Structure formats: structure tokens, C-alpha cells
Amino acid sequence: MATSSPSSHHRTGAAAGGASEYLTFRLGQEEYGIDILRVQEIRSYEQPTRMAHAPDFIKGVIDLRGVIVPIVDLRLKLHCAQAEYTDFTVVIILNVGGTVLGAVVDAVADVVALTADSIKPAPQFQSQVDSAFVRGIATVGERMLIVMDIESLLSGAEMGLVKAVAAA
């Protein structure tokens, strides 16, 4: 049973009927996944216009075809050790609860299909990442993927702040 036939590699797409697709990206050494249905586009990083009195994780705003989009650095939001901007740094434009925002990540990896039962509950312990943001952990081949609940990533107050920044 440990052997795998070539046809088993092609079943992933067919088995994806009950699966959801997730865009995977890197923050530091960790790989995360977010629901692809929240993703509008992926853009190269450009320096946003800074907004006065915004928290550190809100880098500023960009004008995206006439829409003012707040840019949230997920590395800062999730307290990653260091947030360095490289040629691989990208902004994922998301639609979260009717609000368009950009999420700065180190690099985008790929799109994977995961079934609900392939996402295991995250262990509950004190860590850098607040477990409220984590829907679970999935194994994709040799990779461990932290599946994020992007809508719980920002608290109600923070989403209000993001909306206020976007409206400014």
C-alpha cells in the first residue's frame, strides 16, 4: 500500500470536488494558506503612502485603480522576527468582509486544494501566532501549512481602523 501509482498523483484534482483552494505564501520560515476566494490579485510590493497615527502593521495605503487600499504587513501583525522587503515581497489584494486590503507577505508559493478533513486543529499553546487566526494545520507533501482564517486576523476594532484608513 505504500507504493503509489502514477494515476494516484492525478487524483488530487479529481478529488478536489469537496476541496477548497488555498493560496500559499511564506512569512519568515513558515508557510501559510488563505482561502483563494478572498484573493483578488497579487501585486509586487510598492512603498505605500504612510497614514498618520496608524498602527505599525498598517504600512499605509495605495491607489489601486481609483480604490484606496490599506496595506497590512502580515509579518508585523503576526509578530514575525523581521520584516525585510526583497524582490520576492508581494502584496496579496484581499476582500475581507467587503473591505479591500493588501497583505504584505515574503513570497507567494502556489495554490493547493485541501479538503476540510485534511486540515487538522492547531495545537493550543502560547505562541507567537494567536491561534484565533489559525483554522488548522495541513500537510501538503513534505510541507506543513498553517491555514489562516483571514477574517479573524483583524479584530473588529482593527477592521474599523482599516476601513477608516481606506476612507481617508
Side-chain angles (χ1 to χ4, degrees):
M1 290 250 164
T3 62
S4 88
S5 68
S7 64
S8 69
H9 293 291
H10 298 296
R11 276 190 319 184
T12 339
S20 297
E21 291 189 324
Y22 293 85
L23 177 71
T24 67
F25 59 89
R26 298 197 71 76
L27 292 175
Q29 297 303 306
E30 276 72 48
E31 194 167 1
Y32 294 83
I34 55 174
D35 186 343
I36 193 91
L37 298 177
R38 300 278 173 252
V39 178
Q40 286 189 335
E41 65 183 273
I42 299 167
R43 302 173 51 86
S44 57
Y45 180 77
E46 61 184 79
Q47 186 65 42
T49 302
R50 184 87 179 122
M51 298 296 292
H53 308 295
D56 288 344
F57 69 87
I58 297 182
K59 300 307 291 177
V61 295
I62 62 169
D63 183 336
L64 182 63
R65 295 180 294 280
V67 176
I68 302 302
V69 178
I71 303 298
V72 174
D73 192 324
L74 286 185
R75 298 169 296 191
L76 297 175
K77 176 66 180 144
L78 298 177
H79 309 291
C80 290
Q82 189 62 33
E84 291 182 21
Y85 298 91
T86 68
D87 292 341
F88 297 104
T89 304
V90 295
V91 176
I92 303 170
I93 304 297
L94 302 165
N95 190 322
V96 180
T99 300
V100 176
L101 63 95
V104 179
V105 300
D106 291 334
V108 169
D110 57 6
V111 175
V112 297
L114 299 173
T115 58
D117 61 346
S118 70
I119 302 172
K120 306 297 180 212
Q124 300 298 313
F125 54 86
Q126 296 297 322
S127 71
Q128 286 186 334
V129 177
D130 184 336
S131 59
F133 309 148
V134 178
R135 285 191 42 207
I137 308 289
T139 304
V140 180
E142 300 292 312
R143 301 159 32 202
M144 293 290 289
L145 187 65
I146 301 167
V147 181
M148 296 185 82
D149 180 354
I150 200 71
E151 292 185 351
S152 351
L153 182 63
L154 297 174
S155 69
E158 289 169 341
M159 274 308 288
L161 193 61
V162 165
K163 286 179 182 177
V165 167

